[in-house]
Amino acid sequence: MINTKISEIDELNIDINEIKKYSELLAQGKTVIFPTETVYGLGANALDESAVKKIYEAKGRPSDNPLIVHICEKNQVESLALSISEKARLLMENFWPGPLTMIFKKRDIVPLTTSGGLDTVAIRMPSNLIARELIRQSELPIAAPSANISGRPSPTRGEHVRSEMDGRVSGIIIGGDCDYGLESTVVDMTEDTPMILRPGSITKEQLESVVGKVLVDPSIEGKADIKKAKAPGMKYKHYSPNGDVFIVMGKENDVVDKINLLILENNKKGLKSGVICLNENKKNYDGHVIGLGENLEQVASNLFNALIEMDKLSIDIIYSEAFSNEGVGSAIMNRLMKSAGYKVIDA
Ligand code: TXA
Ligand code: MG
């Protein structure tokens, strides 16, 4: 067990002296969890191998899964990436700070421990002000994966990191709920045409409006190729609560009937069922129902929290409605499918 220092910091009224206590921990090669606009991150000095190893240990994460390096000024990219294409510069201008991660060929200064053995490095400049101030005070690039135990849903609320990571890291900054609630869009910029390796809140359409054609890693859509995924993280069990998740697809009324029938059968077996759905459909379901919101942005921001809430209720089986694949919907369905282990029930 590590002794964990925990503070609450208000993003709109940042206490710099409090942040400095945590940037000092980072400078000493220790781990600190901090809020970002996507999900909470588990940070350490990206240039210090022994510090980065502590991240993998705290998460129980396979070490071939590379980390995203977080910066607080755009020009820090120059010291980490070997070359920066014109398209990458355009994307930086348009979407940084924010939920976009770009992959570049790495400079030698970035240890292979950080890049998961690859010759590339993932870089992102977050918009969350606590994250940026922490990075600025540490005067370091900060490697940070999502701050969950490997395989679990990513933390989007302060209480998630407090309950899951206290004792596993040196510091935790609690800074409210994450705005987007899903991890950043990851885009490979090492080839001429950018390729989305992980969908997120910045959509393909948004990227294309700035740099023209953008490809999508084919393994994102189907289960078949997932082991060949170019973002190594995409191949592991992911986003999984204790309960077994199923996605139920079909016409709206059929989905409702099917889920309620399955709940009835589960009740007979003594299994507790939960349902996650759009708010407007909450009234249709029996069992423990959590509304994710009224639109896709709200669904994205509440999805991981709902899965974690289901664990608190000791739910055995979780049914989810399917959501539109438009815009941020593709990121939602990507996380939901992985969380369900691709188990889909046709209504
Ligand atoms: O929003 C986010 O991106 C959050 C916050 C904390 O910034 N971070 C995050 O990190 O989601 P993580 O480690 O949970 O996910 C990083 C993803 C993984 O799928 C990983 O395989 C991929 O990015 N990745 C990192 N470096 C890569 C590289 N050099 N080449 C290809 N994929 C890479
Ligand atoms: Mg993660």
Side-chain angles (χ1 to χ4, degrees):
M1 281 276 283
I2 303 176
N3 187 14
T4 306
K5 178 177 169 53
I6 303 181
S7 302
E8 288 189 24
I9 294 182
D10 179 359
E11 190 185 358
L12 300 177
N13 183 16
I14 292 183
D15 180 342
I16 305 261
N17 286 325
E18 202 58 26
I19 295 253
K20 278 186 180 155
K21 295 177 190 160
Y22 291 88
S23 58
E24 276 160 23
L25 290 175
L26 290 170
Q28 290 162 15
K30 294 182 175 160
T31 47
V32 172
I33 290 177
F34 57 94
T36 84
E37 69 279 19
T38 58
V39 302
Y40 275 77
L42 197 174
N45 177 358
L47 307 181
D48 175 350
E49 285 198 69
S50 69
V52 168
K53 281 189 183 139
K54 291 178 191 161
I55 296 179
Y56 288 104
E57 269 165 41
K59 280 182 64 84
R61 174 172 173 131
S63 60
D64 70 338
N65 192 358
L67 306 175
I68 296 173
V69 179
H70 295 66
I71 58 177
C72 63
E73 301 285 348
K74 289 176 192 160
N75 64 16
Q76 280 178 285
V77 174
E78 317 282 343
S79 65
L80 302 165
L82 258 189
S83 65
I84 301 146
S85 67
E86 205 42 50
K87 285 180 186 172
R89 288 190 195 280
L90 282 170
L91 292 178
M92 279 162 59
E93 283 315 310
N94 280 273
F95 299 110
W96 279 4
L100 175 69
T101 296
M102 283 188 273
I103 313 275
F104 303 92
K105 289 274 181 229
K106 76 173 190 68
R107 285 189 187 273
D108 290 341
I109 187 178
V110 179
L112 289 168
T113 320
T114 300
S115 70
L118 301 173
D119 64 355
T120 50
V121 59
I123 306 179
R124 161 164 128 78
M125 177 176 170
S127 61
N128 182 288
L129 298 174
I130 298 172
R132 284 235 298 288
E133 195 56 39
L134 178 72
I135 300 165
R136 181 170 300 117
Q137 296 297 338
S138 74
E139 298 179 3
L140 293 166
I142 300 297
S146 49
N148 50 284
I149 306 263
S150 199
R152 299 268 311 154
S154 303
T156 56
R157 310 278 190 268
E159 76 210 51
H160 299 162
V161 283
R162 205 194 279 267
S163 61
E164 195 161 299
M165 302 307 271
D166 189 2
R168 291 179 160 264
V169 293
S170 295
I172 298 180
I173 300 178
I174 307 277
D177 299 349
C178 301
D179 293 336
Y180 293 100
L182 294 182
E183 306 86 343
S184 61
T185 307
V186 177
V187 185
D188 184 354
M189 300 304 296
T190 61
E191 306 281 340
D192 193 42
T193 309
M195 183 188 276
I196 297 178
L197 305 187
R198 178 176 73 180
S201 297
I202 307 272
T203 63
K204 179 171 187 269
E205 293 71 29
Q206 281 176 292
L207 297 170
E208 287 189 327
S209 72
V210 174
V211 292
K213 188 164 178 54
V214 171
L215 301 168
V216 179
D217 180 356
S219 61
I220 288 174
E221 255 103 49
K223 182 182 179 179
D225 285 339
I226 205 75
K227 291 222 155 54
K228 288 189 215 142
K230 288 193 178 170
M234 300 302 280
K235 71 176 185 260
Y236 295 107
K237 173 178 142 84
H238 234 127
Y239 315 118
S240 307
N242 297 331
D244 210 3
V245 181
F246 294 86
I247 303 173
V248 184
M249 288 187 183
K251 289 205 210 87
E252 195 176 315
N253 288 341
D254 295 344
V255 168
V256 170
D257 290 346
K258 184 75 185 182
I259 290 182
N260 284 332
L261 187 71
L262 289 165
I263 291 176
L264 213 62
E265 287 171 6
N266 292 339
N267 287 346
K268 286 185 199 147
K269 292 183 215 153
L271 294 172
K272 273 174 97 173
S273 313
V275 180
I276 53 179
C277 60
L278 285 173
N279 284 357
E280 63 195 43
N281 299 337
K282 267 178 78 172
K283 58 181 186 312
N284 300 334
Y285 297 107
D286 309 324
H288 297 271
V289 187
I290 299 182
L292 297 176
E294 285 160 14
N295 54 46
L296 289 179
E297 281 68 32
Q298 290 176 7
V299 170
S301 111
N302 292 319
L303 176 64
F304 289 142
N305 183 50
L307 295 175
I308 293 168
E309 287 295 316
M310 288 291 179
D311 279 351
K312 289 191 201 146
L313 297 166
S314 306
I315 300 294
D316 299 298
I317 301 186
I318 302 163
Y319 298 109
S320 176
E321 296 180 338
F323 299 94
S324 151
N325 250 312
E326 299 293 305
V328 69
S330 73
I332 294 170
M333 287 309 292
N334 168 265
R335 305 308 192 275
L336 206 48
M337 281 295 238
K338 289 180 68 80
S339 158
Y342 299 89
K343 296 191 302 300
V344 173
I345 296 175
D346 289 315

